[in-house]
Amino acid sequence: MTGCFSLSEAIERTYKSGFKRSGLRPVTIDLKDGTVVNFWVSKTKPESKPKPNLLLIHGLGATAIWQWYDVARRLSRYFNLYIPDLVFFGGSSTTRPERSDIFQAQTLMRALEAQSVKKFSLVGLSYGGFVGYRMASMYADAVEKVVICCAAVCVEEKDMKAGVFKVSDLDEASKILVPESVKKLRELMGYIFYKPALARLVPTCLLHDFIEHALTRDNMEEKRELIKAIPKDRIISEIPKLKQPTLIIWGEHDQVFPLEMGKRLEKHVGDNGKLVIIKRTGHIFNFEKPKKFIKILKSFLLETSKPQIPVSNV
């Protein structure tokens, strides 16, 4: 309802203030082909000691600021952060017809190059993990370390029909993952949380407010097209293997992308990859156990010699 207080808007204002206190500023990159990408980037001081660059790629749902708030404010002292809204999220948009993770990867790389970023590590969360994996394989000379979080990169088209996922119909899955009703949002919450019963306790008015102001009703069909494009013609043997040190992080009870997908990815990456499982979490372990998640990220990304990949699950 217009003119009414929005809790989601209030939270987002708090997040934006927190980003600014962490030394981040918003920038808009126009790629001159009908594509515009919004970023939050670290302010750099000429006299300060250089810091490594880190790209944080969000998943489906709300914009980047919602998904990376805790991580950004805890890692901003160690890295120059680049936090984009993917195309069709936030203010990022395109008039081009492409909907693939390859297009998203190319777009982010062009936007980083426009900011003179030549070397960086990346963390990709859920759908952002698909994009991050593509970036690491396509731009191996630029990407130094890779963290893939709960992204079923090794999914195959046949998996949808084989009953690997809780929802086997891709059209229905896209409607749940990009909800436009409180009913669908509650259904989504039932899949992404370790303790889904908590979803039933959230008042309907707050969920409606979250859809309107955080998820927004913008570009819903385009976002669903992104989801449908993921498994299309996908075969594991054709997925490139990464050369960079790669950390794979998964929630023990993930119901969106089951843990078996994480194990499959670890096997595919081979010696360069290691899977870490965060116990008693679901698909959104970045919210359920943020301190644990950040500790794992720091131990991997801040190692200056040969990256130390955690060897035990937590």
Side-chain angles (χ1 to χ4, degrees):
M1 293 179 289
T2 305
C4 292
F5 171 77
S6 166
L7 179 61
S8 295
E9 285 187 337
I11 292 172
E12 185 158 314
R13 284 195 296 270
T14 300
Y15 285 173
K16 287 180 179 178
S17 296
F19 264 39
K20 291 175 181 177
R21 286 195 302 273
S22 297
L24 294 162
R25 61 186 177 89
V27 300
T28 299
I29 309 297
D30 187 346
L31 298 179
K32 309 297 184 183
D33 65 346
T35 304
V36 175
V37 185
N38 282 350
F39 271 82
W40 283 88
V41 302
S42 294
K43 299 175 185 177
T44 55
K45 299 177 181 178
E47 70 277 7
S48 62
K49 183 179 178 182
K51 294 186 286 188
N53 299 318
L54 180 63
L55 174 68
L56 301 177
I57 314 174
H58 68 82
L60 297 171
T63 56
I65 200 168
W66 284 82
Q67 300 188 38
W68 291 120
Y69 177 68
D70 279 323
V71 172
R73 65 194 186 95
R74 286 182 167 87
L75 294 187
S76 59
R77 62 180 292 192
Y78 305 106
F79 297 95
N80 289 322
L81 296 177
Y82 294 84
I83 310 174
D85 282 321
L86 290 167
V87 175
F88 302 124
F89 295 83
S92 299
S93 63
T94 190
T95 58
R96 293 175 56 167
E98 293 95 332
R99 299 292 183 264
S100 68
D101 53 343
I102 294 175
F103 169 67
Q104 294 275 10
Q106 292 169 333
T107 299
L108 288 187
M109 193 65 206
R110 291 174 61 205
L112 289 172
E113 289 171 346
Q115 299 174 81
S116 301
V117 178
K118 294 180 172 61
K119 295 278 188 180
F120 59 95
S121 295
L122 65 82
V123 183
L125 184 66
S126 193
Y127 178 74
F130 290 91
V131 178
Y133 194 96
R134 286 291 188 187
M135 291 188 77
S137 64
M138 294 165 66
Y139 309 107
D141 291 339
V143 180
E144 297 175 311
K145 300 177 187 177
V146 181
V147 182
I148 303 297
C149 305
C150 55
V153 173
C154 286
V155 64
E156 293 187 290
E157 190 166 21
K158 63 182 182 181
D159 288 326
M160 297 306 300
K161 297 179 181 178
V164 174
F165 302 102
K166 293 263 185 173
V167 181
S168 58
D169 181 85
L170 193 55
D171 187 60
E172 177 63 18
S174 70
K175 290 177 181 177
I176 296 171
L177 292 169
V178 184
E180 58 182 326
S181 68
V182 169
K183 180 181 178 182
K184 286 298 182 187
L185 180 53
R186 285 195 191 278
E187 195 171 347
L188 174 62
M189 293 170 71
Y191 286 115
I192 62 177
F193 283 101
Y194 168 52
K195 295 182 178 179
L198 294 175
R200 292 194 289 269
L201 302 178
V202 182
T204 296
C205 61
L206 293 184
L207 295 181
H208 179 76
D209 176 66
F210 187 73
I211 291 171
E212 294 295 331
H213 298 285
L215 297 182
T216 79
R217 297 185 185 276
D218 298 332
N219 304 313
M220 281 196 163
E221 191 52 45
E222 289 85 352
K223 291 173 185 175
R224 288 170 182 159
E225 289 172 2
L226 296 177
I227 297 169
K228 294 174 185 177
I230 291 172
K232 185 174 175 58
D233 302 323
R234 205 176 186 99
I235 302 171
I236 291 178
S237 60
E238 297 178 359
I239 299 171
K241 296 187 178 183
L242 300 186
K243 300 176 181 178
Q244 302 94 330
T246 302
L247 181 63
I248 303 160
I249 309 177
W250 226 270
E252 181 184 20
H253 301 281
D254 194 328
Q255 295 188 76
V256 176
F257 294 131
L259 180 55
E260 181 55 40
M261 284 287 155
K263 295 176 180 178
R264 188 188 287 185
L265 179 56
E266 180 185 38
K267 181 179 179 181
H268 180 73
V269 173
D271 293 340
N272 290 329
K274 178 64 182 179
L275 171 65
V276 172
I277 303 164
I278 302 182
K279 294 182 178 178
R280 295 180 294 281
T281 62
H283 188 66
I284 54 170
F285 51 74
N286 55 315
F287 284 108
E288 294 175 317
K289 290 198 175 180
K291 291 182 180 178
K292 184 71 69 175
F293 177 45
I294 292 161
K295 182 179 179 181
I296 294 168
L297 289 179
K298 287 173 66 175
S299 69
F300 175 68
L301 293 168
L302 291 174
E303 180 62 40
T304 54
S305 58
K306 184 178 179 180
Q308 294 297 307
I309 299 175
V311 296
S312 61
N313 295 326
V314 289

